[in-house]
Amino acid sequence: MQSESQLIFELSRPGRVGYDVPSTPREILAAQVPDLPRRKVPPKLPEVSENLVVRHYTNLSTRNHHIDKDFYPLGSCTMKYNPKINDELAGIPGFGGLHPFQMTNTAQGALEVLQRLSDALLEVTGMDAITLQPAAGAQGELTALLMFRAYHQKHGGRPRRRVIIPDSAHGTNPASIVIAGYEVTELKSGADGLTDIQALKSALSDDVAALMITNPNTVGLFESRIAEIIELVHSVGGLVYMDGANLNAMLGVSRPGDMGFDACHINLHKTFSTPHGGGGPGSGPVAVKSSLAPFLPSPVINTRDGVHWWDWNRPDSIGHVHSFYGNFGMHVRALAYVLSMGGDGLRAISENAIINANYLRVKLSGTYEVAYDRPCTHEVILSGDRQKARGAKTLDIAKRLLDYGYHPPTVYFPLIVHEALMLEPTESESRETLDEFIQVMLEIDREITRDPELLKSAPHTTPVRRLDEAGAARNLDIRYTAK
């Protein structure tokens, strides 16, 4: 490790102060704070000057890559720019100071936010009912599967046994299936990167509880036969879930509900610009068709005569899946984003995300192999096979990008593409940024010819050089020792 920073406590010097808070007179302290909770010994806080505090945390903020620092084309994660006004709105006292046990008649404004966000997400997805409780996409998956289980139990007397996923599925899909008590049936994708219809037909039977599928899928392609796929699953009594991780390619263009999906989750921390990648908690609302509405987690927000209230009387509900009502701050941010963009703006998001991904695809296709060389949606999958044959593998390319100031793309996923590089530029990047990134990718390819060792030993300019990831996993050491 290079340029290792000291902890703020190690920078402390006795008597040094940053901001001196006026002391509270003892008589006022005694009158306002009971003796029991009053601290008897001063806390061991670092004693540092204000400018040192500012420099310390400013330097720390630049030691890792983030969306405010530079381009972050992390495929399947939609690392788009998050407008700062959304953070400001989430922090205003009326929202930030709310207590979760506050009476609903004193929190009608907050409930209005939740109701309006719910309505907006239902319009975007074409679904009938929604829960905002899940805190992440993976928890949304689990929530939906538990609802599927409850649905089958109520209507068929048994939860069924299997859930089908394609071999390109996100890693959370099989994990959610197992946690929900089901067995995973993996479906091999076709040579075109799409669902193999014949393989699906062979996998279907009356013990299939559901099909989980991402659309657009994880190779960046829209499942063009999705209506047929859904009809086949429904024909054996199964339900169909859409992993909404790639919803950024569909806003205002197509809707899961119109395609026939029974449920889907929405990653507010991807599609609707709430902080992502270390910037804050996630939020993974789940939207469903009316047949699944009785099984939604309790409580569900309701509105009557302009008054908002929580509906707890839901005998078929799967219960609570998150404390209180979900990550409320994310809901405020998402609604602010929806209202600021409007319907036309949301559609423009997807259109521009798709244009940007295809711009990268065309510009890089002469040098890098494109896994499925036809128009993609919001992300493009390259293969580093050509570069590996010349001495540098995909991991080396990813590490070298760090030296140029870019976060690497997702690598080695999806698993069905050899030496995969998954690029998702998002709609919030300019053509100039994309052109600069393209030139860097082309230069890295030339570096392989000139000096492959330069890539194999990359990164060279980051605070931490290339790590022994296997060694780190097997010999975990997370305790910091001061020098």
Side-chain angles (χ1 to χ4, degrees), residues 17-32:
V17 296
Y19 180 75
D20 197 8
V21 180
S23 60
T24 304
R26 285 184 174 279
E27 58 274 18
I28 295 178
L29 192 65
Q32 296 187 352

Side-chain angles (χ1 to χ4, degrees), residues 183-256:
E183 297 175 15
V184 177
T185 296
E186 186 177 278
L187 204 63
K188 187 175 176 57
S189 297
D192 58 358
L194 302 177
T195 298
D196 186 323
I197 298 295
Q198 290 304 316
L200 174 62
K201 288 179 179 177
S202 300
L204 290 174
S205 68
D206 64 1
D207 69 346
V208 169
L211 167 71
M212 296 182 76
I213 188 169
T214 306
N215 199 26
N217 64 20
T218 59
V219 298
L221 302 176
F222 188 86
E223 291 282 355
S224 56
R225 299 176 71 179
I226 191 63
E228 182 181 357
I229 291 169
I230 293 173
E231 186 175 339
L232 284 170
V233 178
H234 283 170
S235 71
V236 298
L239 300 169
V240 187
Y241 177 80
M242 194 188 90
D243 180 329
N246 294 340
L247 190 64
N248 208 55
M250 293 169 57
L251 298 174
V253 178
S254 57
R255 308 193 303 174

Side-chain angles (χ1 to χ4, degrees), residues 325-349:
Y325 317 109
N327 287 327
F328 177 69
M330 300 301 106
H331 303 153
V332 177
R333 289 172 171 88
L335 181 60
Y337 187 65
V338 169
L339 294 177
S340 64
M341 297 305 300
D344 291 341
L346 291 177
R347 182 182 176 97
I349 285 171

Side-chain angles (χ1 to χ4, degrees), residues 355-373:
I355 290 171
N356 279 358
N358 279 283
Y359 188 71
L360 292 184
R361 178 181 62 83
V362 172
K363 291 289 185 179
L364 293 172
S365 61
T367 302
Y368 292 85
E369 182 178 334
V370 179
Y372 303 96
D373 197 8

